[in-house]
Amino acid sequence: MTEWTILGAGALGCVMAGLLRQRGERVSFMLSARHRGHFHPSLDLITLSGRHELIQSQPRFPEQARQVECLLVFTKAYQVLEALKGLQGLPTTTPIILFHNGLGVAEQVQELFPHNPLIAGVSSHGAMKEGDWLVRHTGKGETWLGPQNEAAKSWAHLVKPLAAALGHAEWSNDITLHQRRKLAINAVINPLTACNNIYNGQLLEPRYADVLEQLSEEVFQVMANLGDTEEQKDFRRRLQQVIELTATNYSSMHQDLIHGRKTENEYITGYILAHAGTQPVPVSSQLYQEIKRRGG
């Protein structure tokens, strides 16, 4: 049985760890030096039914990188490289699965670990951090894995234990499609909720109807120009569904901005701007600049 090592103990990383442990999988957390010498607490997972479950896991530290069998990276996009640089002892056979939001990081990770199987992960599970080592699973979703290099193509078997733990996990040889479709949703919801200081469901209020429509159109057109064949009505339906399913949630960008943390603006809205070409994207540009102005 593979041990799953979680790098990035945020909301989604902790929920994934909890779901894997519930299925009897071996799970560890790769911790930073500041946790050294501290008692490693149990993870308190609040399940979909509202029940509290204590989840036990093993602590790991960077000097134990050689023991890592499978690495799941749940850090913010801008933290990925720095977090991985401390794991230079990672065996070249260990798969690295990147679960961050946005796009543009995998290429840099490939340079850092040229021989490791590099896999992209996309998940729509809902997760909310309510305290230190206290997380709430707020919604079931789909999880997709796919290869980012040649070495990763022989690791499709990883989806079987993940599917058993998460309810759904599939392998896709065109993982970029799933990444872009998730990014498209994030590029609408995240900057709008962050700049307006609202939770996701408020985007459906009449006062946001015009800007929601304009931004959706911009993002859809950029993705269409990149080769996505999804029809506009299907994109709108998907966007509406995500807003409704996460209605009471605050987006990650909203939470980062409100708490004075760096956001993933560069990897989400920045990606839209970088790939807009000659297409005008005034709403995306305005939101991007506003988040930068506020320090995000």
Side-chain angles (χ1 to χ4, degrees):
M1 185 192 291
T2 299
E3 179 177 279
W4 307 85
T5 298
I6 310 285
L7 177 60
L12 186 57
C14 285
V15 164
M16 288 284 192
L19 295 175
L20 284 163
R21 279 297 296 138
Q22 284 177 327
R23 288 292 299 191
E25 296 285 330
R26 293 190 300 130
V27 175
S28 63
F29 279 98
M30 180 61 69
L31 302 173
S32 59
R34 66 189 175 89
H35 292 101
R36 199 183 302 278
H38 291 192
F39 171 69
H40 180 56
S42 301
L43 169 66
D44 189 355
L45 173 68
I46 306 171
T47 66
L48 289 173
S49 63
R51 191 175 68 251
H52 284 255
E53 289 197 14
L54 285 179
I55 304 295
Q56 305 293 335
S57 64
Q58 289 295 317
R60 295 271 180 258
F61 293 97
E63 68 270 16
Q64 296 172 297
R66 289 196 180 283
Q67 299 171 22
V68 175
E69 298 171 27
C70 182
L71 187 67
L72 305 177
V73 184
F74 287 97
T75 65
K76 298 285 189 182
Y78 57 82
Q79 296 171 325
V80 171
L81 280 182
E82 200 56 42
L84 287 174
K85 281 176 184 174
L87 304 182
Q88 289 299 321
L90 200 68
T92 56
T93 53
T94 298
I96 301 170
I97 308 179
L98 303 175
F99 271 100
H100 59 79
N101 285 326
L103 283 163
V105 178
E107 296 79 4
Q108 296 166 291
V109 175
Q110 182 69 79
E111 287 180 25
L112 198 59
F113 293 93
H115 305 296
N116 288 72
L118 187 61
I119 299 168
V122 177
S123 184
S124 57
H125 276 268
M128 191 181 298
K129 197 163 188 178
E130 298 198 350
D132 286 340
W133 302 103
L134 172 63
V135 293
R136 181 184 293 275
H137 188 196
T138 58
K140 271 192 171 183
E142 294 184 352
T143 300
W144 292 86
L145 299 187
Q148 295 275 270
N149 61 6
E150 198 62 34
K153 291 181 178 178
S154 61
W155 287 86
H157 60 276
L158 288 176
V159 301
K160 190 174 180 181
L162 284 174
L166 308 179
H168 170 277
E170 286 187 56
W171 186 264
S172 170
N173 287 316
D174 187 12
I175 194 63
T176 304
L177 173 70
H178 296 280
Q179 289 178 299
R180 283 180 176 161
R181 287 190 176 177
K182 182 178 182 183
L183 183 142
I185 298 294
N186 284 341
V188 176
I189 294 175
N190 283 26
L192 275 181
T193 55
C195 285
N196 290 288
N197 190 21
I198 56 175
Y199 48 84
N200 293 0
Q202 289 178 270
L203 287 174
L204 299 179
E205 293 176 3
R207 57 184 168 147
Y208 297 113
D210 288 346
V211 70
L212 186 65
E213 185 175 346
Q214 290 170 43
L215 183 57
S216 303
E217 174 69 20
E218 286 181 11
V219 170
F220 172 79
Q221 288 301 334
V222 169
M223 291 304 171
N225 294 343
L226 285 171
D228 194 339
T229 56
E230 184 176 35
E231 292 190 21
Q232 190 163 19
K233 61 179 172 49
D234 294 326
F235 172 60
R236 289 284 176 85
R237 190 184 304 119
R238 236 174 10 100
L239 177 63
Q240 175 94 6
Q241 185 180 39
V242 172
I243 293 173
E244 288 174 356
L245 285 173
T246 63
T248 59
N249 288 14
Y250 286 106
S251 72
S252 58
M253 192 175 286
H254 171 278
Q255 288 295 281
D256 288 338
L257 202 62
I258 210 84
H259 290 108
R261 299 188 296 254
K262 187 175 177 181
T263 72
E264 292 173 301
N265 190 29
E266 210 61 56
Y267 299 91
I268 297 176
T269 307
Y271 184 88
I272 297 297
L273 299 185
H275 292 84
T278 56
Q279 181 197 321
V281 283
V283 181
S284 297
S285 300
Q286 187 179 348
L287 290 167
Y288 174 82
Q289 292 299 337
E290 178 61 19
I291 288 165
K292 275 192 79 171
R293 187 186 69 78
R294 296 193 201 178

